[in-house]
């Protein structure tokens, strides 16, 4: 191997190594990412309660600290202005199971009685999610998933 080729190869390795280190440092500064978010509403039936279940996968460099969830009607004052991160911080938490050091699968399930379903606005609903990483960075998705609330 000629000296010029060896120097070019070495320079290339240094550049690629530096780019990799930059990419890792940059990835550490990323807020949590949500993926595969789904919501499922099951209406109450007879004397059996219904439920709302939401699940998402959260990836955050260094781990996931918390995930807060809020369901709200698409035709409401909250939908017009969208919930803020400050408002979401007070909402109910999802239960998260660690998949690996950076990823957690989180679920939120709530029971829905026939009376609650009957008194709630029928039609489209949105699910908002506030994910907080271990380093304190946050991601707010005010329309992470949706569902339709209908009584039977």
């Amino acid at each position: 191997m000629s000296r010029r080729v060896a120097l070019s190869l070495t320079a290339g390795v240094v550049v690629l190594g530096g780019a990799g280190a930059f990419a890792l440092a940059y990835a550490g500064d990323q807020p949590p990412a949500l993926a595969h978010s789904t919501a499922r509403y099951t209406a109450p039936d007879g004397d059996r309660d219904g439920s709302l279940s939401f699940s998402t996968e959260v990836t955050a460099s260094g781990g996931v600290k918390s995930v807060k969830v809020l369901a709200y009607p698409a035709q409401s004052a909250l939908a017009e202005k969208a919930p803020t991160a400050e408002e979401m911080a007070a909402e109910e938490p999802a239960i998260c199971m660690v998949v690996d050091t950076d990823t957690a699968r989180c679920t939120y399930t709530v029971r829905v009685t026939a009376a609650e379903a009957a008194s709630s606005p029928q039609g489209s609903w949105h699910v908002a999610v506030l994910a907080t990483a271990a380093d304190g960075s946050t991601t707010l998705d005010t329309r992470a998933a949706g569902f339709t609330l209908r009584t039977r």
Side-chain angles (χ1 to χ4, degrees), residues 32-146:
L34 302 173
H36 312 296
S37 298
T38 61
R40 180 180 173 169
Y41 170 73
T42 303
D45 188 15
D47 62 347
R48 207 174 64 227
D49 289 338
S51 64
L52 168 63
S53 296
F54 170 79
S55 65
T56 192
E57 190 169 282
V58 184
T59 302
S61 167
V64 178
K65 179 179 177 183
S66 70
V67 174
K68 303 289 183 117
V69 179
L70 170 67
Y72 62 96
Q75 300 299 318
S76 67
L78 189 56
E80 290 176 15
K81 68 176 186 89
T84 66
E86 292 77 24
E87 293 167 332
M88 288 295 299
E91 294 304 324
E92 294 185 26
I95 297 171
C96 297
M97 304 269 293
V98 175
V99 174
D100 60 39
T101 56
D102 295 334
T103 305
R105 283 195 187 99
C106 303
T107 58
Y108 170 81
T109 302
V110 63
R111 181 176 69 107
V112 179
T113 66
E116 290 168 333
S119 66
S120 296
Q122 303 295 294
S124 296
W125 284 59
H126 302 299
V127 178
V129 178
L130 175 66
T132 304
D135 68 3
S137 61
T138 61
T139 293
L140 173 62
D141 186 346
T142 59
R143 294 188 179 189

